[in-house]
Amino acid sequence: MQKFLKILRFFVAPVALALAGPVVAQASTAAPDALVRDLTADVLDTIRADRAIANGDVSRVQKLVDEKILPYVDFQKMTRLAVGRGWRSATPEQREVLTREFRTLLVRTYSGALSQVKDHKVEMGPFRAQPGDMDVLVRTNVVPSRGDKIQLDYRLEKQDAGWKIYDVNVLGVWLVENYKTQFAGEVSAGGVDGLIKSLTDRNRQLADAKKA
Amino acid sequence: MSVARLTLRGCIAFAVLVLASGCATLPPNAGQDPRDPWEKYNRNMFAFNDGFDEAITKPLAELYVKLPEGVRTCLSNAFSNLRGPSTAINNFFQSKPVEALSDVGRFAVNTTVGIVGCFDVATGWGMEAHREDFGQTLGVWGFEPGPYLVMPIFGPSSVRDAIGIYGVEPFLDLNFYIDYPGIEYTVLGLRVVNERAELLPADRLVREAALDRYSFIRDGFLQRRRSLVYDGNPPRVIDPDDEDDGDDAKAPAPARSTSSGPAQTKPPGEPGDGAGKPVDAKPGDAAK
C-alpha cells in the first residue's frame, strides 16, 4: 500500500501539473486586448531568448506553439466558420477530424513564419469594445527592425473559459475567409469526406517533405 | 545584336513559355463565382505566369537576395521613395490632407537627407510610410473592383485595379519621368525583382497552406485590396451561413431552418455563396 502511494505520488505531480497548465491558461479572465498584448509579448520574448527557434528548430517552435498559443485558440470555431455550410452536414466524428487536420495544417505552415521573427515589436492598435461584448476585434501591428509594419489583427470570442482567438488577419487578409472558397469547392466536389481527404493528404505530404 | 533579332528571340522565348506552361486544369465550377466570371482565362494566365516566374523572375529574385542586406534595404527604400509623390497625390484625392502633407514631407526629407531615398529618415521623424495607389483611390470614390483579372506577367488584379494601377499609376510614378531610357528601364526592372524578392518567403507558405493555390491567392488579393481601400479597417462582412448555434457536438442540424437568424445583424453574404440572401444590396456590394 505504502509503495502504491509512492508510485501514485510520482504520477500525480506531473499529471496534475500537465492538467493545471492548460486550465490556468484557459481560465483567463483578462480583457481581450490585454490577453493579446501579453500573449504576443510572451511569444516574442521566448523567441528572443531561445536561439534554437531562430535557427529553425522545428520541435522547439512546435513546443512554443503548443504551450503558449494553442490554449488561447478555438480551432473548432475556426474550422466551423471556414467549412461553412458543409459543417452542418458533417457528423460529430467528421467535425472532429476536420478540426484536427485543419489545426495541423495551420500549425505546420505558420510555425515556419515564427522562426523568421527576430527583433520584432508589437504595437497595440485602437481598441473599441463595450463591457457586454462577446465578440471583439483586437488590432495590432508587428514592427520589424527594418521595413514596413505588418498589420496583425485578431477576432476573439468570450467563452466560459475566457477569451479565445478564432480568426487572424494578416495584412488585411482574414484566415477563415481565405479558406472558405477552397473548402466549399472541396465539399461540393467530394463531400465532407473529400475535404477531409485533401487536408489529410496535404498534411501527410508536408510531414514527409520535412522528414526527407 | 540588332533590335529585330532581339525581338525575335523574345518572341521565341515567349512562345516556348506559353507552350511549356500548358493549360491549367479547370475545376468543374470554374466561372461560377460572381467575383471571378473569367476564371477559365484567369487560371490559364495564372499557369502561364507561374511558368514565366519559375523561368525568369524568381531566379533573378533569388540572385538579388544574395546582395548584402544593407544594399537591398537601400534600394527598397529608394524604390518606395519613387512612389512617394503618387502616395501623396492619392491621399489628397482620397480627402486625407493630413496624410497627404505628411507624405510630401516624407518625400522631401528622404530624397534630400536620406540621399535619394536610400535611407528612411522620415519614419524616425514621425512621418510614417503609407502606400496608396490610384486603384485604392478609385475604390474610395466608390468604384467596385469588378471581375477578378489575372494580368499577364504582373499577376492578380481586378478591372478597377488594372485601370488604376496599370492605366493611371505609371503617370504618377517618378520612374516614368526618368528621361534616360537606359536608367528608366533598369530601375523598373530592378523594382520588379526587388518586389519579387520580398515575396520569396511568402511563396513557400502559400504553397504549403493552400489546397488550391489559385483561389488562395485570388481570395487573399481581393481581401487585401478591400482592406487597403478602407486603410486596414474595412466593415465586417458576415456570412449568413455563420450561424453560431453553439451546439457543435450535436448531430447535423436539420436542414437550414435556423439559418435565417436575426437578419439585421447579418448583412448580405459573401458573393461566392449562392444561398446568401442579397437583401437590398447591389451585386458585388459585399466585395467592395
Side-chain angles (χ1 to χ4, degrees):
Chain A
M1 188 62 197
Q2 201 65 17
K3 205 174 173 189
F4 174 68
L5 274 178
K6 226 177 188 171
I7 295 170
L8 196 67
R9 226 184 19 224
F10 245 93
F11 266 101
V12 167
V15 169
L17 267 178
L19 289 176
V23 170
V24 169
Q26 283 171 1
S28 159
T29 48
D33 53 334
L35 181 137
V36 168
R37 186 192 60 218
D38 297 346
L39 178 64
T40 42
D42 191 11
V43 169
L44 289 177
D45 285 345
T46 311
I47 294 173
R48 222 169 286 140
D50 190 346
R51 290 200 55 85
I53 293 176
N55 294 334
D57 184 331
V58 179
S59 64
R60 296 295 270 277
V61 174
Q62 190 69 44
K63 188 164 167 273
L64 170 80
V65 171
D66 286 348
E67 285 176 2
K68 309 247 174 189
I69 302 175
L70 294 195
Y72 300 102
V73 182
D74 182 351
F75 278 105
Q76 167 120 350
K77 182 173 169 103
M78 202 181 247
T79 313
R80 170 162 58 80
L81 293 176
V83 174
R85 250 188 299 165
W87 188 260
R88 235 167 285 153
S89 58
T91 65
E93 292 76 26
Q94 285 176 319
R95 291 175 174 187
E96 204 177 299
V97 181
L98 278 173
T99 306
R100 192 182 62 222
E101 294 296 332
F102 190 35
R103 177 176 55 208
T104 307
L105 178 66
L106 292 179
V107 169
R108 191 162 282 150
T109 52
Y110 289 88
S111 48
L114 275 180
S115 53
Q116 310 275 325
V117 173
K118 281 175 219 144
D119 35 7
H120 292 54
K121 290 191 180 65
V122 174
E123 252 178 32
M124 300 302 292
F127 180 65
R128 280 181 210 88
Q130 307 300 319
D133 281 352
M134 300 298 277
D135 190 299
V136 297
L137 170 69
V138 175
R139 313 189 57 192
T140 76
N141 281 309
V142 177
V143 191
S145 54
R146 58 182 86 197
D148 294 340
K149 287 180 186 176
I150 302 157
Q151 181 189 353
L152 192 57
D153 301 342
Y154 305 83
R155 281 214 161 272
L156 291 92
E157 183 186 53
K158 191 174 193 173
Q159 300 179 351
D160 298 338
W163 290 94
K164 294 276 184 133
I165 296 165
Y166 70 90
D167 203 355
V168 184
N169 174 340
V170 186
L171 289 169
V173 180
W174 285 103
L175 188 135
V176 165
E177 181 69 31
N178 230 51
Y179 273 100
K180 267 188 191 162
T181 316
Q182 292 175 85
F183 281 7
E186 295 284 343
V187 170
S188 75
V192 174
D193 281 329
L195 173 59
I196 290 176
K197 188 176 180 304
S198 301
L199 283 169
T200 324
D201 286 352
R202 169 54 54 89
N203 283 331
R204 195 175 306 129
Q205 202 183 318
L206 291 175
D208 290 348
K210 288 243 155 89
K211 261 183 251 152
Chain B
M1 196 184 306
S2 73
V3 175
R5 279 183 66 190
L6 251 179
T7 317
L8 186 66
R9 279 194 160 197
C11 285
I12 292 171
F14 192 77
V16 167
L17 275 170
V18 172
L19 289 174
S21 61
C23 286
T25 35
L26 297 170
N29 57 353
Q32 282 172 20
D33 190 323
R35 299 168 305 167
D36 191 6
W38 304 330
E39 187 171 349
K40 287 178 187 167
Y41 153 81
N42 280 338
R43 276 192 189 264
N44 280 310
M45 189 49 82
F46 181 78
F48 165 75
N49 285 349
D50 255 3
F52 186 87
D53 181 61
E54 286 293 332
I56 296 171
T57 327
K58 197 174 168 193
L60 286 175
E62 281 164 343
L63 267 180
Y64 178 84
V65 292
K66 296 212 163 79
L67 287 172
E69 201 179 342
V71 175
R72 277 185 287 133
T73 307
C74 170
L75 287 173
S76 183
N77 286 342
F79 295 155
S80 322
N81 196 51
L82 290 175
R83 295 205 64 260
S86 156
T87 294
I89 291 166
N90 280 299
N91 261 332
F92 178 75
F93 282 158
Q94 295 170 26
S95 322
K96 291 184 285 188
V98 179
E99 283 85 346
L101 271 178
S102 156
D103 296 332
V104 171
R106 185 182 162 81
F107 178 70
V109 167
N110 278 351
T111 306
T112 54
V113 186
I115 313 170
V116 273
C118 173
F119 302 99
D120 176 12
V121 188
T123 299
W125 292 6
M127 288 169 274
E128 241 175 53
H130 303 124
R131 202 186 172 106
E132 305 288 344
D133 57 61
F134 201 71
Q136 292 177 53
T137 297
L138 289 174
V140 172
W141 288 351
F143 288 95
E144 303 289 339
Y148 179 66
L149 175 64
V150 178
M151 301 284 289
I153 299 168
F154 296 110
S157 195
S158 62
V159 169
R160 178 191 72 201
D161 288 336
I163 293 169
I165 295 174
Y166 305 107
V168 176
E169 199 58 34
F171 298 101
L172 304 178
D173 195 301
L174 285 188
N175 214 124
F176 186 75
Y177 300 98
I178 301 176
D179 268 346
Y180 307 93
I183 302 175
E184 182 181 348
Y185 290 108
T186 309
V187 172
L188 201 59
L190 271 175
R191 283 173 73 173
V192 172
V193 173
N194 173 62
E195 225 154 271
R196 182 64 185 88
E198 280 168 5
L199 286 174
L200 284 174
D203 233 22
R204 188 195 60 96
L205 191 138
V206 171
R207 268 173 212 283
E208 290 186 1
L211 293 182
D212 172 14
R213 234 173 103 248
Y214 171 83
S215 59
F216 193 90
I217 290 174
R218 174 192 64 201
D219 296 0
F221 171 84
L222 294 174
Q223 275 205 72
R224 165 112 178 113
R225 291 301 296 179
R226 177 170 185 271
S227 173
L228 283 174
V229 167
Y230 288 97
D231 287 331
N233 199 14
R236 194 177 188 187
V237 180
I238 297 181
D239 189 334
D241 277 337
D242 294 348
E243 65 193 277
D244 207 338
D245 48 18
D247 60 349
D248 300 325
K250 283 186 199 161
R256 295 176 50 91
S257 53
T258 53
S259 67
S260 41
Q264 64 275 26
T265 62
K266 298 188 175 182
E270 57 170 336
D273 176 14
K277 301 154 283 283
V279 191
D280 47 2
K282 309 187 290 291
D285 203 40
K288 188 165 55 185

